[in-house]
Amino acid sequence: MARSALLLLCVIFAFLSFSTEAELVEHTFIVGNLTVRRLCKNKIITAVNGEYPGPTINAHEGDTVVVHVINKSPYNISVHWHGIFQRLTQWADGPNFITQCPIQPQNSYTYKFNIIGQEGTLWWHAHVSVLRATVYGALIIRPRAGALGYPFPQPYKEATILLGEWWDADVVNLENAALAAGGAFNNSDALTINGRPGDLYPCSKKHTYKLEVEQGKTYLLRIINAALNGQLFFKIANHPLTVVAADAAYTTPFPTDVITVAPGQTVDALLHANAAPGRYYMAALAYASSPNIAVDNTTTVATLTYKYSFPSSSRH
């Protein structure tokens, strides 16, 4: 009897601990048209809340996430929470015609799911047609409030690195043409870092992501490959990285100079800002092992700049 009472008290204590520490993370995603300029051209894309890439969802392990999706685009839409286990909430997973009917234009749908037993970096994206080329964003899961924290030294700051692709043409039209011809989908015209191609592409000097760091500090990079199909190499000049997690699961830390990220995969890596103060390129390019398959053979870059560096110093 005493043991049963003790067990009951433990269960009640665990429930109270969960209910007081867990939070409700609520967002509204309005999907619609957005005009952006890339590679010297204006283009209308499908985006969330007028942002490209879309908004970041920040949560803690144990939280409940609620996202109200309002579809003001001309296309059917659904949103997939890539990598979330969806325990007891399979209907919130997002693949259209698999776990849900798509959200038709001028309609809405609310996703609700719990984040249990996962910490690290995941992401969300559209799961209809090729709309995920522009409808995507980060989903960051931090340790539960009151927990021990990361199983590695606490970083000074964090930065999200979303690797993606850009097409000059409308991606829906490209997909329809490929389906009609029975051929392959066109390769992208550029790769991107946080939606920006970088200054190696035409008209893209101001479309270059910049990350500022301080000498001697450690930063946690949350690297996400949001490309449709391509595996990508990622590297920062003169800066080794320490991989500490992949797909919202911690790894045994290991050092590396180059990270390969598969489509849909995420990698968390520590960046130690210990190089000589200056400006350095971070870059991503496609990994292709077959000589007979064409790929987007270009390189997207961003700049890592040390705070207090002279503007003219550069180490690309």
Side-chain angles (χ1 to χ4, degrees):
M1 184 69 179
R3 293 186 63 182
S4 299
L6 180 61
L7 178 61
L8 179 60
L9 286 173
C10 290
V11 171
I12 293 173
F13 178 77
F15 174 77
L16 290 175
S17 298
F18 175 83
S19 61
T20 55
E21 294 176 2
E23 295 183 357
L24 180 68
V25 178
E26 191 167 9
H27 288 263
T28 297
F29 281 7
I30 300 176
V31 184
N33 288 343
L34 174 67
T35 300
V36 296
R37 185 170 182 82
R38 295 291 187 275
L39 307 187
C40 315
K41 299 175 184 178
N42 290 334
K43 178 185 172 184
I44 297 175
I45 64 172
T46 306
V48 171
N49 294 354
E51 301 177 32
Y52 167 65
T56 296
I57 294 178
N58 289 285
H60 291 84
E61 192 274 329
D63 286 352
T64 297
V65 176
V66 174
V67 182
H68 310 285
V69 178
I70 302 171
N71 187 11
K72 295 187 177 181
S73 80
Y75 307 109
N76 288 344
I77 198 75
S78 70
V79 179
H80 174 53
W81 316 97
H82 197 110
I84 291 292
F85 291 154
Q86 298 293 1
R87 292 193 172 103
L88 304 180
T89 52
Q90 294 88 340
W91 51 85
D93 197 41
N96 69 306
F97 294 121
I98 298 176
T99 59
Q100 70 168 100
C101 294
I103 309 166
Q104 297 180 349
Q106 307 308 314
N107 284 269
S108 63
Y109 183 79
T110 295
Y111 295 90
K112 183 177 181 179
F113 54 89
N114 298 323
I115 302 175
I116 303 297
Q118 294 180 274
E119 295 179 12
T121 305
L122 295 174
W123 64 302
W124 58 266
H125 59 81
H127 214 298
V128 172
S129 182
V130 290
L131 294 179
R132 75 178 180 90
T134 53
V135 179
Y136 63 86
L139 200 172
I140 296 173
I141 309 166
R142 294 184 173 83
R144 185 189 296 245
L148 295 177
Y150 300 126
F152 47 83
Q154 178 72 23
Y156 175 62
K157 288 184 178 179
E158 302 179 5
T160 301
I161 307 295
L162 275 157
L163 308 177
E165 295 175 282
W166 177 263
W167 282 264
D168 281 336
D170 182 273
V171 290
V172 174
N173 291 340
L174 287 177
E175 183 189 39
N176 290 339
L179 291 172
F185 191 78
N186 284 16
N187 290 322
S188 55
D189 296 293
L191 303 174
T192 59
I193 296 177
N194 291 343
R196 304 176 186 186
D199 59 21
L200 299 185
Y201 296 96
C203 305
S204 298
K205 186 173 183 179
K206 68 177 182 178
H207 296 142
T208 302
Y209 172 70
K210 298 176 178 62
L211 174 63
E212 185 179 73
V213 299
E214 293 186 31
Q215 177 74 27
K217 303 291 187 181
T218 298
Y219 296 79
L220 176 61
L221 301 185
R222 299 181 178 274
I223 305 163
I224 302 167
N225 184 354
L228 294 190
N229 296 303
Q231 299 185 64
L232 298 174
F233 287 128
F234 176 80
K235 179 179 175 63
I236 303 177
N238 291 3
H239 286 77
L241 300 169
T242 302
V243 173
V244 293
D247 297 327
Y250 296 121
T251 67
T252 300
F254 64 91
T256 183
D257 289 327
V258 179
I259 292 174
T260 305
V261 195
Q265 187 183 24
T266 70
V267 174
D268 292 355
L270 295 177
L271 162 68
H272 306 287
N274 293 328
R279 290 184 296 173
Y280 299 81
Y281 267 147
M282 62 176 73
L285 71 161
Y287 164 71
S289 58
S290 174
N292 301 317
I293 298 178
V295 297
D296 180 351
N297 192 25
T298 64
T299 302
T300 177
V301 296
T303 58
L304 182 149
T305 303
Y306 278 77
K307 197 173 182 179
Y308 312 121
S309 296
F310 293 107
S312 60
S313 70
S314 134
R315 298 173 185 273
H316 292 168

